[in-house]
Amino acid sequence: MVVTHRCVCGATLRYRQDMTGTRGGTGRTWQCADCGTPVPGRVAEQLRHQHPS
């Protein structure tokens, strides 16, 4: 099953490459690589482990 997330900017996030991550005091946060909108933590963790094939 492939998880996808539709960002408010219209981008479809499917893989880790579609996000940028930053380390913070409580862990890592993920944003859309196109616009910088935060991606919900649970969705980001699922996307982070998917690999393009």
Side-chain angles (χ1 to χ4, degrees):
M1 180 173 99
V2 175
V3 175
T4 62
H5 176 72
R6 182 70 131 182
C7 183
V8 295
C9 72
T12 300
L13 310 179
R14 291 185 183 96
Y15 307 110
R16 176 183 222 152
Q17 296 89 327
D18 299 330
M19 304 182 293
T20 56
T22 55
R23 290 197 183 264
T26 59
R28 178 169 263 173
T29 58
W30 296 92
Q31 298 86 27
C32 171
D34 290 344
C35 69
T37 300
V39 177
R42 180 175 216 152
V43 174
E45 283 302 311
Q46 292 173 333
L47 295 175
R48 193 169 72 90
H49 293 291
Q50 292 183 154
H51 300 284
S53 47

